[in-house]
Amino acid sequence: MATKKKPAASASGPKLVTRSTSASLFPWIGLSLIIVLLDQVTKITVERTFAYAETLPITGFFNLIKVYNPGAAFSFLGDASGWQRWLFLGIAIAAVVFCIYMMSKNASQRLFCFALALVMAGAIGNGIDRVVHGHVIDFLDFYWTGIGHFPAFNIADIGISVGAVLFVLDELRRVNKS
């Protein structure tokens, strides 16, 4: 466990206060785990209650549907022979390691760490699917009548997407400060 020593003033003179840098990771890792849990519970529920490609209309623009995605976003490489499963799992593992590293180096930057936690949760959630099922389970289906359906997605995908948007906002905020 890494520690930082910081002098603290007192009546008897300076003292060294030890603060654990890994302790500041706990809220972000906790947030990621909550999102992973929500992602996996929703996927298990859909997996157990829907037949493949079964659709449940909810509104005039939203359905629940059970579909599988062996590829990445928008089914990128979904038609490959199976090697992509391991490629995308490797990318997910690398993303998790990178997110933890960046959170440990930038723990005081709340928006940045929040974005990292969301991306990490999405990588873990979809990575679990790749290990357990060999594909990602998608079930949220938005569409516009006459235009078509947006590709189905899941809670992990929302984490990755929102995290990416927050990265952009965080960077814009930094640029505007300088």
Side-chain angles (χ1 to χ4, degrees):
M1 185 179 329
T3 59
K4 287 185 179 178
K5 294 188 178 184
K6 181 178 172 183
S10 72
S12 62
K15 292 184 183 179
L16 290 179
V17 176
T18 303
R19 183 179 63 86
S20 171
T21 56
S22 63
S24 60
L25 291 178
F26 290 136
W28 307 118
I29 291 173
L31 172 64
S32 289
L33 292 177
I34 290 168
I35 295 168
V36 169
L37 181 63
L38 177 63
D39 175 66
Q40 291 299 301
V41 166
T42 55
K43 289 174 178 174
I44 289 167
T45 301
V46 167
E47 186 69 15
R48 291 185 179 174
T49 57
F50 285 75
Y52 182 76
E54 180 181 353
T55 302
L56 175 63
I58 304 295
T59 70
F61 61 90
F62 174 67
N63 299 322
L64 292 177
I65 185 170
K66 178 176 151 183
V67 292
Y68 300 141
N69 182 0
F74 305 103
S75 296
F76 175 67
L77 294 177
D79 294 338
S81 62
W83 59 267
Q84 76 277 20
R85 170 186 185 185
W86 306 110
L87 171 68
F88 294 135
L89 181 58
I91 291 169
I93 291 168
V96 169
V97 170
F98 181 74
C99 287
I100 290 171
Y101 170 76
M102 292 303 291
M103 282 189 280
S104 70
K105 295 293 182 191
N106 300 284
S108 64
Q109 298 177 27
R110 298 178 82 191
L111 183 59
F112 183 71
C113 287
F114 185 65
L116 286 168
L118 293 177
V119 170
M120 185 169 78
I124 293 169
N126 285 341
I128 290 169
D129 282 10
R130 291 185 198 289
V131 169
V132 173
H133 305 290
H135 53 256
V136 173
I137 300 167
D138 289 327
F139 59 90
L140 301 170
D141 175 34
F142 285 88
Y143 62 93
W144 192 272
T145 305
I147 294 176
H149 292 259
F150 187 79
F153 57 98
N154 58 47
I155 303 297
D157 297 336
I158 293 170
I160 293 168
S161 300
V162 171
V165 168
L166 291 177
F167 280 133
V168 172
L169 292 175
D170 185 56
E171 188 59 27
L172 290 173
R173 187 180 67 158
R174 275 184 237 264
V175 168
N176 288 337
K177 281 185 179 179
S178 54

